[in-house]
Amino acid sequence: LEIGSGKGQFILDMAKKFPGMFFLGIEKNMTCAGFTAKKLVENEISNARIINEDAEEILEYLKDKSVEVIFLNFSDPWPKKRHHKRRLTSNTFLDKYDRVLKDDGKIVIKTDNVDLFEFTKELINDSSFKSISVDEDYDGLDEFDTCTEYERSFRDENVPIHRMIVVKKW
């Protein structure tokens, strides 16, 4: 499950790279969701779908323990403190992820935003998740990953990519 699929390069590339897995993207911006849908159709991708809706709405409909991995790639950092509750790594969302993730489920977070990354690290410590990998300058070489449009742009500008993988606590 990718929340905030943007223009869809990540979900497209992951679906191509792992044809035996099913990928679901959620994107609330209709134009971006349209770009993603077009890419999936043009590339004849049968193992990925995009939903144009707010993630909060869709998460309510997902079955308990039905998702293996949640990808949060370059999510909106909502920089104003009063908006932090809207962050996709806020406690509200972490509780929803805990419900839909399988017992060995993971969340993979990538961002260029240091404030969002530090905020997320702090919340994870007091949540039902634990960090298994924290990388302040991720090299992009993990086999189970691919580059997003934002990531490619940031890498071209030598902006460090921060990446964290968390799992549900047992």
Side-chain angles (χ1 to χ4, degrees):
L1 175 66
E2 182 187 22
I3 300 177
S5 296
K7 295 179 184 173
Q9 195 62 49
F10 180 84
I11 198 168
L12 171 69
D13 290 345
M14 289 296 279
K16 286 180 177 179
K17 194 172 181 180
F18 300 98
M21 296 182 80
F22 180 77
F23 295 88
L24 177 63
I26 302 172
E27 175 54 55
K28 69 179 179 178
N29 179 289
M30 186 182 296
T31 302
C32 288
F35 281 123
T36 301
K38 184 177 180 193
K39 286 178 183 176
L40 296 176
V41 169
E42 287 177 347
N43 286 273
E44 299 179 357
I45 300 298
S46 61
N47 63 324
R49 298 287 183 272
I50 185 75
I51 297 175
N52 175 219
E53 184 62 72
D54 190 290
E56 267 190 288
E57 298 295 322
I58 298 304
L59 286 167
E60 296 302 319
Y61 290 99
L62 295 178
K63 291 181 182 177
D64 292 0
K65 299 183 180 189
S66 63
V67 176
E68 289 183 42
V69 181
I70 296 174
F71 296 98
L72 303 175
N73 294 315
F74 302 92
S75 304
D76 188 333
W78 292 103
K80 293 180 181 175
K81 190 165 181 88
R82 70 178 186 265
H83 294 150
H84 284 188
K85 64 182 177 272
R86 297 181 184 177
R87 289 177 166 178
L88 291 176
T89 56
S90 70
N91 284 323
T92 300
F93 280 100
L94 290 175
D95 290 343
K96 293 174 190 291
Y97 304 153
D98 183 54
R99 183 185 65 77
V100 301
L101 279 171
K102 294 181 178 181
D103 287 336
D104 58 348
K106 298 178 185 175
I107 305 172
V108 181
I109 303 151
K110 287 195 291 189
T111 185
D112 64 306
N113 189 285
V114 175
D115 180 56
L116 175 60
F117 197 68
E118 293 300 321
F119 169 89
T120 302
K121 284 195 306 189
E122 286 179 28
L123 282 184
I124 292 299
N125 288 335
D126 296 325
S127 75
S128 59
F129 294 92
K130 67 177 180 176
S131 299
I132 59 169
S133 173
V134 177
D135 195 335
E136 303 287 340
D137 193 7
Y138 173 58
D139 59 17
L141 298 178
D142 187 330
E143 173 74 20
F144 194 62
D145 192 16
T146 188
C147 216
T148 71
E149 291 94 338
Y150 277 122
E151 184 174 356
R152 191 162 288 116
S153 173
F154 292 134
R155 288 191 183 284
D156 288 347
E157 297 171 14
N158 293 315
V159 174
I161 306 302
H162 307 285
R163 183 173 185 246
M164 181 184 325
I165 301 174
V166 303
V167 296
K168 289 175 69 167
K169 290 179 183 171
W170 289 80

